[in-house]
Amino acid sequence: MDDLKILRQQLKKEQAARRAAEKQLQLIQKTGAQSEATAVAPTTETRFRRFLDSASDIIYEIDLDGRFTYANPMVVCRLGLNRLEQVLGHHYLSLVHPDDRSQVADFYAQQYHTKTFSTYQEFRLATAVPEPVWLGQNVWLAYQGDKIVGFQAIARDISKRKKMEAELQAQRDFGQQIMVNLGQGLTVVGADGLFEYVNPAYARMLGYTEAELLGQDPTTFTHPDDLDALLAAHNQRKTGETTTYETRLVQKEGGILYALLTGVPRWVDGRSAGSVTVITDLTERKLIEQEILHARDHALELSNLKSQFVANMSHEIRTPLNGVIGMTELLAETPLDDEQLEFVEIIRTSSDALLSIINNVLDFSKISEDKLDLDMQPVTVREVLEEAIDIVSPKVARKNVEITYVMAYGAPTVILSDVGRLRQILVNLLSNAVKFTEAGEVTMTVMNYEHQDGRPQIHFAVQDTGIGIPQEAVERIFQSFSQVDASTTRKYGGTGLGLAISQHLCKKMGGQMWVESNLGEGSTFNFTIDAVTPAEYMPESLPILPELAHKRAQMVDDKATNRHMLARQTEVWEMLPSTAVSSPEALAGLHEGRPYKQLKPSSTSAARILLAEDNLVNQQVALSILEYLGFQADVAANGLEVLAALETQPYDVILMDIQMPEMDGLETTRQICARLPEGKRPYIIAMTANAVKGDRERYLATGMNHYISKPVRIAAISEALAQFMPS
Ligand code: ADP
């Protein structure tokens, strides 16, 4: 804007100078005419010559051939010449820039032919300097009488103005170029609130031509529901603030365009005068966002379906597996020859493996859904350790491997944790350790541990003397479905899920899992978990088991440490330990005729038991186990049948499946509780597959007395019934 002002002043000056020059010329002409007519005294002419010679403009005359007849010294000066003689007599066009010559020649030829008295023309001079020298030139026809005899000219150097004009134009072109080529829309709104300028991109966005939009009110193209936002932005800009907001614009064809608008207020002489706004088309982004949201919903839906499917499938697979496991267990108890026993053993280990795979897959799907919840209860660490060892001990029995555990002094004894999940981690690490160790030891160590942030934790380490893990595979084995190499599956089986699940469980329990291993030298799997000791639990004192007191126990172990450790433990229970280094030695001791206890019940109990189970295989398994344990039971296929049976005779115990057609186990229990007063109700034992966190509490709250999970095992049913009949 400043440049424009200067330019305007420059132009004014030029015009004033031109007017002055015009007057001078007319004066000269007049004087010339008079001097011819009346022979005025030479002093006057000399006066004028002096005046012309000192003028800062170029003043000259040429004849009709175009040759200089007069030139003031300024010509020489402007052209960078030395003497007037270099000009006088020469053709005026030789001083014009070659590029402008023909145009200038035509222009003055035209003036001559049309007898235009006065003209103004701008052109460049032929100079040696690279910067062009521009002249603005006034030319009059010179008459003698009524005959044109030549031209008289006053010219002024206008290079400065020309240069400024060019610069200004370049700036304008630059700005224009940006606005025109901008991918974003750009609009300028005047003080009247109407479009003063819109760039092609904006017009394109809305589907109008630029001309159609000029002079229009922007509100016309705003979605009616977004007018408030537009108005708010408008008012905000009046206070001088820049505004940015999202809005919907309405296209010529009625389509909706999502746009981001950034408006900057315009100020003229301290007053708000509209705004300049940049418009970014967000439609594509919005669509992509919507697509992403849609895809996410879809993925969630799929993933829900998937976990539902996995849950259903594992439930479906468990039921027949329940049959296989239960019947195998029973079969093993019948008289079998060695070969048959071996076959049964294979069926048992295979079905156990299958069950563990199904459990892993179910856990894995819960983990990927982040649906795995912990059931925090007080847990006696020693008990979990021993349970875990019990579970893997059949596998150990077949190998030359020993399992021992050491609880370091000060290790927490009772912690708040999820006992099932902790056992799961331990069993997984222990069975891996046993699986990958042909001979040697598996040692479990439990220590006190403190998290960096001071949280009390417990540290478990499972050390083996097995095949070890190559360094490059250490990271990989914690990933799901991943093993050291392909040969692992061939040789040892497994799915590569155990460690991934265990590690996830550790993290969920506030800790971490890592491994230290050397190929061929064995591995140590470590993990930590949060271990808050519940306030009501005192520091450990080993439980005294009265039934063990004064009983003899023999420790058979080739390792002195183990023999001593076990012996001391049994002494705490007031047992009478003796030790043996080898089996022959131990057998020698046994043959001395010491009595042993028969564990299997021998007579049929009189307890009245009702089995509520809809699945035929499961019915068969449970009935057979009950029979094996010395019980007989009636069967109901659903809740309604249970209620009907209770009408005809009282039952002491109901083994109640949860999922049943017609009426499920929970509802049936509620009905029983509503119908029968407390002392008259049967003892209800819930049976269910894949129980989730809180189920146990829910069952007990409904009025059930005990809970066992499927596949049902001899031990579990026996234990549950023992609770009912402690005698
Ligand atoms: P799986 O045992 O079902 O294959 P895991 O996730 O429990 O799955 O283990 C993954 C792999 O890690 C195993 O296949 C084995 O290659 C390696 N691994 C785990 N524990 C041990 C161990 N104690 N000694 C050697 N290798 C091990």
Side-chain angles (χ1 to χ4, degrees):
M1 291 299 142
D2 277 354
D3 287 349
L4 255 182
K5 251 186 219 162
I6 297 172
L7 205 62
R8 256 187 233 125
Q9 281 164 2
Q10 189 89 14
L11 257 174
K12 260 188 207 152
K13 263 193 225 158
E14 276 177 23
Q15 278 162 358
R18 217 161 43 224
R19 278 195 294 275
E22 227 165 286
K23 276 208 188 106
Q24 277 176 22
L25 258 177
Q26 281 168 355
L27 207 66
I28 296 167
Q29 282 182 332
K30 233 196 212 141
T31 319
Q34 274 176 6
S35 66
E36 263 171 36
T38 59
V40 178
T43 47
T44 319
E45 194 178 337
T46 318
R47 224 163 7 110
F48 276 112
R49 283 284 173 221
R50 234 181 271 142
F51 178 69
L52 294 177
D53 288 353
S54 63
S56 63
D57 288 342
I58 296 169
I59 301 170
Y60 63 89
E61 280 181 337
I62 52 172
D63 59 20
L64 281 183
D65 290 339
R67 297 189 184 278
F68 285 98
T69 51
Y70 166 78
N72 73 344
M74 203 31 93
V75 176
V76 181
C77 177
R78 285 278 182 253
L79 291 171
L81 304 172
N82 299 324
R83 287 169 298 115
L84 260 176
E85 287 69 46
Q86 289 175 289
V87 175
L88 293 177
H90 290 267
H91 197 279
Y92 81 97
L93 279 179
S94 66
L95 305 182
V96 175
H97 193 283
D99 291 353
D100 292 352
R101 262 175 213 160
S102 69
Q103 178 223 329
V104 170
D106 288 349
F107 182 81
Y108 292 117
Q110 178 85 354
Q111 180 176 10
Y112 174 77
H113 288 304
T114 55
K115 297 195 168 62
T116 311
F117 179 65
S118 148
T119 58
Y120 178 75
Q121 157 88 321
E122 291 177 359
F123 58 88
R124 285 168 295 176
L125 278 186
T127 51
V129 286
E131 279 276 299
V133 176
W134 280 90
L135 287 188
Q137 177 169 270
N138 286 73
V139 171
W140 294 263
L141 297 176
Y143 280 91
Q144 249 173 19
D146 54 3
K147 193 165 159 247
I148 301 169
V149 292
F151 300 87
Q152 292 173 324
I154 295 184
R156 158 168 294 216
D157 186 346
I158 55 163
S159 306
K160 226 159 105 191
R161 172 178 49 94
K162 277 285 181 194
K163 197 172 159 207
M164 275 170 70
E165 259 178 11
E167 276 170 12
L168 205 67
Q169 190 57 41
Q171 275 179 25
R172 267 206 213 112
D173 287 351
F174 180 64
Q176 185 74 13
Q177 219 176 350
I178 289 176
M179 292 195 283
V180 168
N181 295 320
L182 194 67
Q184 286 168 300
L186 188 120
T187 63
V188 179
V189 166
D192 54 5
L194 306 178
F195 283 136
E196 219 168 68
Y197 172 81
V198 300
N199 76 340
Y202 182 70
R204 257 199 317 276
M205 280 181 191
L206 293 187
Y208 290 95
T209 63
E210 289 158 68
E212 280 173 319
L213 291 171
L214 287 182
Q216 297 287 338
D217 188 331
T219 55
T220 319
F221 311 99
T222 303
H223 192 281
D225 293 347
D226 291 353
L227 282 175
D228 285 350
L230 182 86
L231 215 72
H234 177 74
N235 289 332
Q236 202 179 338
R237 275 197 303 271
K238 276 193 171 166
T239 68
E241 276 182 62
T242 297
T243 57
T244 298
Y245 60 104
E246 276 186 29
T247 192
R248 282 164 296 174
L249 302 177
V250 182
Q251 292 166 320
K252 189 175 184 178
E253 300 294 332
I256 299 288
L257 185 103
Y258 290 90
L260 180 76
L261 269 62
T262 299
V264 184
R266 273 171 87 200
W267 296 91
V268 173
D269 298 332
R271 260 183 299 139
S272 125
S275 59
V276 180
T277 302
V278 175
I279 299 99
T280 312
D281 186 348
L282 297 182
T283 313
E284 206 171 322
R285 202 194 304 169
K286 282 272 171 204
L287 286 178
I288 291 173
E289 269 173 23
Q290 278 168 6
E291 259 170 49
I292 289 173
L293 280 181
H294 187 73
R296 200 199 57 177
D297 287 349
H298 190 62
L300 275 178
E301 198 183 321
L302 275 184
S303 146
N304 276 337
L305 277 177
K306 187 195 78 185
S307 50
Q308 195 56 47
F309 174 77
V310 172
N312 288 345
M313 274 315 288
S314 59
H315 187 82
E316 291 303 317
I317 296 171
R318 259 172 217 254
T319 307
L321 197 56
N322 195 9
V324 176
I325 291 174
M327 288 306 182
T328 311
E329 216 179 349
L330 288 168
L331 186 59
E333 298 296 330
T334 60
L336 299 171
D337 66 28
D338 283 354
E339 197 185 23
Q340 287 168 329
L341 205 60
E342 195 186 318
F343 292 165
V344 170
E345 194 48 35
I346 291 173
I347 300 177
R348 176 152 59 192
T349 47
S350 305
S351 47
D352 277 349
L354 188 54
L355 184 66
S356 112
I357 291 173
I358 291 165
N359 285 339
N360 272 351
V361 168
L362 190 65
D363 271 352
F364 181 70
S365 85
K366 276 195 205 151
I367 286 172
S368 18
E369 295 299 308
D370 204 18
K371 276 190 186 151
L372 204 141
D373 292 318
L374 297 177
D375 182 10
M376 304 299 269
Q377 308 272 348
V379 174
T380 308
V381 178
R382 200 177 280 278
E383 270 173 23
V384 198
L385 293 179
E386 287 174 1
E387 281 165 14
I389 293 178
D390 276 353
I391 293 172
V392 295
S393 54
K395 291 178 194 153
V396 184
R398 274 170 259 134
K399 286 183 162 186
N400 189 14
V401 174
E402 283 172 48
I403 305 188
T404 49
Y405 79 85
V406 183
M407 273 190 84
Y409 179 75
T413 53
V414 179
I415 60 171
L416 209 56
S417 195
D418 183 321
V419 65
R421 294 309 186 180
L422 176 55
R423 195 192 302 117
Q424 186 178 350
I425 302 174
L426 290 170
V427 168
N428 180 38
L429 296 188
L430 278 176
S431 46
N432 274 350
V434 172
K435 182 156 81 167
F436 296 106
T437 307
E438 257 341 289
E441 291 162 38
V442 172
T443 319
M444 192 152 53
T445 320
V446 186
M447 286 160 281
N448 198 14
Y449 189 76
E450 197 183 279
H451 190 267
Q452 282 165 343
D453 67 10
R455 281 197 328 260
Q457 293 201 315
I458 188 166
H459 176 176
F460 297 85
V462 177
Q463 188 175 12
D464 66 54
T465 53
I467 59 171
I469 299 161
Q471 209 48 44
E472 68 275 11
V474 159
E475 287 289 316
R476 185 162 16 106
I477 56 168
F478 288 105
Q479 289 160 16
S480 37
F481 303 108
S482 139
Q483 301 181 319
V484 166
D485 58 40
S487 68
T488 311
T489 328
R490 257 178 277 131
K491 195 163 167 204
Y492 300 97
T495 52
L497 277 178
L499 286 178
I501 293 170
S502 297
Q503 193 182 44
H504 181 88
L505 288 172
C506 280
K507 282 187 186 151
K508 190 109 189 161
M509 293 169 138
Q512 51 179 333
M513 178 175 281
W514 70 99
V515 62
E516 293 144 10
S517 184
N518 281 321
L519 199 58
E521 292 174 23
S523 321
T524 305
F525 280 83
N526 299 276
F527 72 95
T528 56
I529 56 166
D530 283 346
V532 178
T533 302
E536 65 272 30
Y537 288 90
M538 306 293 290
E540 174 178 35
S541 63
L542 284 176
I544 306 291
L545 306 173
E547 63 269 36
L548 295 180
H550 314 301
K551 301 257 158 63
R552 268 183 297 239
Q554 188 163 52
M555 268 45 76
V556 188
D557 200 321
D558 58 341
K559 277 226 174 74
T561 345
N562 290 348
R563 286 197 304 272
H564 290 312
M565 222 176 74
L566 289 169
R568 214 170 312 132
Q569 174 86 61
T570 49
E571 271 165 10
V572 175
W573 293 330
E574 296 177 22
M575 293 182 83
L576 307 169
S578 64
T579 56
V581 180
S582 65
S583 346
E585 192 187 324
L587 284 173
L590 281 179
H591 283 247
E592 279 163 30
R594 288 168 192 160
Y596 71 97
K597 203 166 180 264
Q598 189 180 356
L599 290 170
K600 187 184 156 186
S602 47
S603 62
T604 302
S605 164
R608 289 157 302 185
I609 300 179
L610 179 63
L611 172 69
E613 167 69 67
D614 61 311
N615 183 281
L616 279 178
V617 174
N618 289 347
Q619 275 177 13
Q620 199 55 46
V621 171
L623 282 178
S624 307
I625 290 178
L626 285 170
E627 195 188 326
Y628 171 74
L629 291 172
F631 298 103
Q632 284 195 327
D634 297 337
V635 176
N638 61 48
L640 293 178
E641 286 187 25
V642 170
L643 296 179
L646 281 174
E647 296 280 316
T648 57
Q649 77 165 93
Y651 282 96
D652 301 314
V653 178
I654 303 181
L655 281 163
M656 182 92 77
D657 183 25
I658 298 293
Q659 288 177 335
M660 285 186 295
E662 310 279 348
M663 185 187 282
D664 69 10
L666 288 177
E667 183 53 30
T668 314
T669 307
R670 268 185 226 112
Q671 295 280 343
I672 295 172
C673 290
R675 291 172 192 201
L676 298 173
E678 234 191 291
K680 302 244 165 181
R681 286 175 208 153
Y683 188 82
I684 303 177
I685 300 168
M687 300 186 297
T688 183
N690 73 59
V692 292
K693 187 196 165 196
D695 275 359
R696 194 173 162 276
E697 287 70 21
R698 203 149 55 90
Y699 300 155
L700 298 185
T702 324
M704 292 176 163
N705 304 86
H706 201 94
Y707 160 86
I708 58 177
S709 60
K710 286 183 182 176
V712 290
R713 306 283 177 126
I714 298 176
I717 292 195
S718 155
E719 201 181 288
L721 291 174
Q723 296 270 328
F724 163 65
M725 297 172 282
S727 52

